[in-house]
Amino acid sequence: MSEKHAVHLSIAGMSCAGCVAAVEKALSSVPGVDSASVNFAEHTAMVTGEAPAGALVAAVVQAGYQAAEMVGPEDISGRELAEFAHYRALLQRAAVAALVGAPLMIGGWFGWLPELAAGGVPWFWVATGIATLGVLVYSGGHFFTAAWSALRRHNASMDSLIALGTGSAWLYSMAVVLFPGVIPSLARHAYFEAAAVIIALVNFGSALEMKARGRSSEAIRRLIGMQPATARVVREGVEVDVPVEQVGLDETLRVLPGEKLPVDGLIIEGRSSIDESMLTGEPLPVERGAGERVVGGTLNTTGSFLMKTTHIGRDTVLAHIIDMVRTAQGSKPPVGRLADRVAGVFVPAVLLVAIATFLAWFNFGPEPRAGYSAVTAITVLVIACPCALGLATPISIMVSIGKAAGQGILIRNGESLQRAQQITTVVLDKTGTVTLGQPAVTGIRTMPGQDEAGLLLLAASVEAGSEHAMAAAILAAARERGAALLPVQDFQATAGRGVEGDVEGRRVLLGNAGLFGERGVAITPLQAAYDEQAAHGRSSVFVAVDGRLIGMLTVADPVRADSKDAIRRLQARGLGVVMLTGDAPATAEAVAAEVGIDTVVAGLLPGDKVQHVATLQGSGEIVAMVGDGINDAPVLARADVGFALGSGTDVAIESADITLMGSSLHAVADAIEISRLTVRNIWQNLFGAFIYNSLGIPVAAGVLYPFTGMLLNPMIAGAAMALSSVTVVSNANRLRHMRLGRGAA
């Protein structure tokens, strides 16, 4: 019996939720498949079981899509190149269709085109028909292919409507050109321009949608890139560099300052400060020594140490984070496009109406019955072509995305834009989101007879030789005051403790309480202040000169200036606000109290944040997650709508649905307001489009003929179609002038 395994497939050709269901059904039908999950965001599928990859690919192809097995990270780049090529192809198809359709439409408006009934062979219109057929084949061939695939699956989509309408328009137009005597005089009109322009508009909209959707796999690729390519392994007493894939369990690794840890493990010798911000979001490095766990992908900032590997390959924390991002992106229920859902009902209904119209006119209509039957039936199909319906949603979304971009809000896709208006709870990360994410000196305490400027100058001069994040904060504070650093002699750093050096003949010592205790320097006068700052999650460092305490510096991550107002604004809109952070409880609670957040959960790992969001979703909440760090990537993907600050990491930005180019949380409220106005605008457009089709189809079928003797004039139908589209576009453009309530509570 074959062993169970997982196969990762790249899927091409999916355009809606129905496609996802079709691919999953095809994969699940293959013998030996235990489970099949399609990730619409990545256009991939993960299949587990005993089925070979070849059989899975064949099943997908049989269902009408393309598939290929993915065997490595390099396939992500290959897929991105393929998607970009598809994007350019859509633009080229749109351009070709527009070059044919636009002149015909303009010429028809101004009466520049020859008459159809001018006598003789209408060579101009024959040539036009051939050119339009070329458009249908080159620019619209994929619509007809997709429509055929949907028909085979007993389904209908937007592609079905487009193929049906444009194909009928061309067939009818050629009948008018080649057999004008069969067509009643009232209905002798060619629809070549309508077929070409519809193809152009839909291709252009698809290209913009693909571009707006962005490259969802970029987050995965950047996460993969966080693991170094090589590791320094100690084998038989010799340090050798080997590819990280060749590192085994229980091997000994040497990690030098400035290097990323290749895998997970335990420190067995040495001590260092580790930047674990990719895991916890905490900006300050943490001290790690013998017997303590370290995580692959984190950054060793200061000391050198030996570590024993405990988890490698797919078992590392970084690998689990990558899997969580993939899973979370795929776990989102695909938001079915409204137009596709409508098409599932609308297409069969139109076909039934067209058939009924043909039969009614063939049995009860005037002579020539065959001509009238064909004209009315085809006119129903032509007027049902969803020009306005197809524009109703994408035009509003495109205008709103442009408006949002002008406000510094980059929206990845239309589904995210529509989803944002349903948000009920906003979950905030702390570090870099509510706070600045950059440690800064927030307090200076001096002993009697000492001044703050002199204390800061001595401290900064010594810290200039340190790579610690706290040192950077002290140096930044000194530079802000215009201090000129003093030369330092005999600089020494004690990992995890502090630094010291000679400044103008004086021995300056900076460090924590443990170091000062070892050196016998009394800290009693500032002990209470030190404990108070520690209780609020702030880090402090004592400063001594020649063995005598002269003061204390406190370093913390300050709250953003407008965080409190922005949070109050969200709460005023009836939204719940929750803080989830990997930071210590004391720090988190202090920040939450400062900005007015009542619900806060601290000390969380990335998986814990995902679980909390899932719990909220399980209780019926529509959750928005706002974050900036690598550790936020899984939960940003898991949330119904993920917001990433543009000042954050690339991984967070790529995992989110909406990127805020600034750092203000006011942009979250702005995005929600834009979403609300956009969805309302879309419904207005759809209502207008439906009114057109609801009125136009019965008239095209000839319901007025028994009472008025009138059939629908194709020219009037064309004008109505154009007016419907103009109305939809004009209404959507009103969104350019929407007013947002930034700064209002």
Side-chain angles (χ1 to χ4, degrees):
M1 181 176 292
S2 302
E3 294 185 359
K4 292 188 177 183
H5 57 278
V7 179
H8 197 199
L9 300 176
S10 177
I11 310 294
M14 295 191 300
S15 61
C16 63
C19 299
V20 172
V23 173
E24 287 184 343
K25 182 179 179 180
L27 291 171
S28 299
S29 67
V30 177
V33 171
D34 293 335
S35 65
S37 176
V38 175
N39 187 328
F40 184 66
E42 287 191 339
H43 283 217
T44 60
M46 185 67 72
V47 185
T48 58
E50 301 175 356
L56 299 174
V57 171
V60 175
V61 173
Q62 183 66 28
Y65 304 91
Q66 295 82 50
E69 184 181 7
M70 302 177 64
V71 295
E74 64 275 6
D75 290 299
I76 296 175
S77 300
R79 189 173 68 253
E80 288 180 354
L81 291 174
E83 289 181 352
F84 181 72
H86 184 51
Y87 164 74
R88 294 197 58 181
L90 287 172
L91 289 180
Q92 291 172 357
R93 292 168 183 169
V96 170
L99 286 174
V100 173
L104 291 174
M105 180 171 289
I106 295 172
W109 287 345
F110 292 97
W112 296 341
L113 304 181
E115 296 289 336
L116 275 168
V121 179
W123 292 112
F124 172 83
W125 290 106
V126 171
T128 299
I130 295 173
T132 309
L133 179 61
V135 168
L136 294 182
V137 173
Y138 173 74
S139 300
H142 55 294
F143 297 126
F144 291 88
T145 302
W148 174 246
S149 296
L151 180 63
R152 291 171 55 194
R153 301 192 305 270
H154 308 288
N155 199 358
S157 66
M158 197 66 187
D159 293 332
S160 304
L161 279 174
I162 295 167
L164 189 61
T166 56
S168 299
W170 186 86
L171 288 172
Y172 175 72
S173 300
M174 286 303 295
V176 171
V177 171
L178 299 177
F179 312 104
V182 180
I183 310 298
S185 58
L186 289 175
R188 290 174 189 163
H189 179 77
Y191 283 98
F192 294 126
E193 80 286 352
V197 170
I198 289 169
I199 293 291
L201 288 173
V202 177
N203 274 315
F204 184 64
S206 298
L208 292 180
E209 183 180 352
M210 174 174 284
K211 185 178 182 179
R213 190 174 69 222
R215 300 171 298 175
S216 61
S217 60
E218 184 68 14
I220 307 296
R221 191 173 68 170
R222 292 185 182 274
L223 283 167
I224 293 173
M226 288 184 172
Q227 185 180 52
T230 61
R232 188 173 291 101
V233 184
V234 181
R235 294 174 178 171
E236 299 180 354
V238 180
E239 297 181 6
V240 294
D241 290 337
V242 301
V244 71
E245 294 83 5
Q246 297 181 12
V247 176
L249 291 172
D250 292 328
E251 291 221 63
T252 300
L253 308 183
R254 169 74 69 181
V255 184
L256 300 178
E259 294 182 341
K260 290 183 178 179
L261 279 66
V263 294
D264 299 357
L266 294 174
I267 295 179
I268 58 177
E269 182 182 310
R271 189 175 186 86
S272 184
S273 295
I274 308 294
D275 182 354
E276 296 183 347
S277 57
M278 61 83 64
L279 182 67
T280 66
E282 174 58 41
L284 292 174
V286 295
E287 304 300 324
R288 295 286 186 244
E292 293 187 279
R293 179 172 176 256
V294 288
V295 176
T298 57
L299 179 65
N300 179 32
T301 62
T302 54
S304 171
F305 60 86
L306 294 175
M307 60 175 286
K308 184 76 70 176
T309 63
T310 58
H311 298 84
I312 60 176
R314 293 184 175 273
D315 294 329
T316 64
V317 171
L318 180 60
H320 288 163
I321 290 178
I322 293 171
D323 289 339
M324 280 191 288
V325 172
R326 278 200 173 111
T327 302
Q329 286 183 332
S331 67
K332 295 180 181 179
V335 181
R337 300 175 185 175
L338 181 58
D340 278 345
R341 296 203 300 270
V342 171
V345 177
F346 190 62
V347 171
V350 169
L351 287 174
L352 289 175
V353 171
I355 294 171
T357 299
F358 180 90
L359 294 175
W361 280 88
F362 189 81
N363 288 287
F364 307 107
E367 295 293 343
R369 292 185 178 182
Y372 276 103
S373 302
V375 166
T376 51
I378 293 176
T379 302
V380 168
L381 296 177
V382 171
I383 201 169
C385 192
C387 189
L389 180 61
L391 289 171
T393 299
I395 286 293
S396 296
I397 289 175
M398 283 188 291
V399 172
S400 294
I401 287 176
K403 174 68 175 182
Q407 301 292 319
I409 304 168
L410 303 184
I411 301 172
R412 183 178 292 273
N413 53 49
E415 291 181 0
S416 304
L417 180 62
Q418 296 177 62
R419 188 68 165 165
Q421 60 96 26
Q422 300 174 325
I423 292 170
T424 59
T425 298
V426 178
V427 176
L428 303 175
D429 176 48
K430 179 188 74 69
T431 305
T433 302
V434 178
T435 66
L436 292 176
Q438 299 176 346
V441 175
T442 58
I444 302 178
R445 297 288 187 97
T446 61
M447 297 295 292
Q450 303 293 327
D451 64 276
E452 292 186 0
L455 172 68
L456 185 60
L457 175 61
L458 290 173
S461 297
V462 177
E463 290 284 18
S466 174
E467 298 177 350
H468 200 279
M470 184 174 286
I474 294 173
L475 284 168
R479 293 192 185 99
E480 289 177 2
R481 299 193 180 199
L485 301 183
L486 302 173
V488 178
Q489 305 293 327
D490 191 25
F491 172 82
Q492 296 179 20
T494 304
R497 300 285 194 163
V499 295
E500 59 186 307
D502 293 333
V503 182
E504 296 183 336
R506 297 175 292 175
R507 191 65 177 176
V508 180
L509 176 68
L510 286 82
N512 56 26
L515 180 62
F516 270 55
E518 291 179 359
R519 300 296 180 87
V521 181
I523 58 174
T524 304
L526 296 177
Q527 185 69 60
Y530 180 89
D531 294 340
E532 180 184 359
Q533 296 299 326
H536 288 85
R538 305 184 185 107
S539 301
S540 298
V541 58
F542 295 107
V543 184
V545 175
D546 294 333
R548 181 171 61 88
L549 180 70
I550 66 170
M552 182 183 76
L553 297 170
T554 299
V555 175
D557 185 12
V559 172
R560 296 186 185 275
D562 61 353
S563 288
K564 185 175 182 179
D565 289 340
I567 290 168
R568 186 186 301 135
R569 182 182 170 197
L570 291 170
Q571 293 169 335
R573 295 178 180 275
L575 301 174
V577 181
V578 178
M579 179 188 292
L580 301 181
T581 178
D583 211 344
T587 304
E589 290 170 3
V591 172
E594 185 175 350
V595 298
I597 297 176
D598 297 325
T599 305
V600 56
V601 185
L604 301 177
L605 294 176
D608 301 325
K609 291 184 179 181
V610 171
Q611 185 57 49
H612 275 274
V613 168
T615 300
L616 287 170
Q617 292 171 324
S619 65
E621 301 290 330
I622 306 298
V623 180
M625 174 67 198
V626 188
D628 75 316
I630 296 168
N631 62 299
D632 296 324
V635 69
L636 284 169
R638 181 65 179 86
D640 296 286
V641 182
F643 292 83
L645 298 183
S647 57
T649 65
D650 291 339
V651 173
I653 292 171
E654 296 295 340
S655 298
D657 302 296
I658 299 174
T659 299
L660 312 177
M661 295 304 293
S663 56
S664 175
L665 291 178
H666 277 296
V668 177
D670 288 343
I672 294 173
E673 180 70 8
I674 290 172
S675 173
R676 185 184 67 81
L677 294 173
T678 302
V679 171
R680 185 173 67 182
N681 190 269
I682 289 172
W683 279 110
Q684 293 169 349
N685 288 343
L686 289 173
F687 178 78
F690 284 132
I691 288 295
Y692 162 73
N693 284 114
S694 298
L695 296 178
I697 291 176
V699 174
V703 296
L704 298 180
Y705 185 83
F707 311 101
T708 65
M710 182 188 75
L711 287 175
L712 181 65
N713 189 317
M715 294 298 295
I716 297 176
M721 183 183 296
L723 180 62
S724 176
S725 300
V726 169
T727 301
V728 166
V729 173
S730 300
N731 187 55
N733 278 321
R734 294 193 303 111
L735 293 170
R736 301 183 189 277
H737 309 292
M738 72 175 81
R739 301 182 64 181
L740 305 175
R742 178 170 292 211

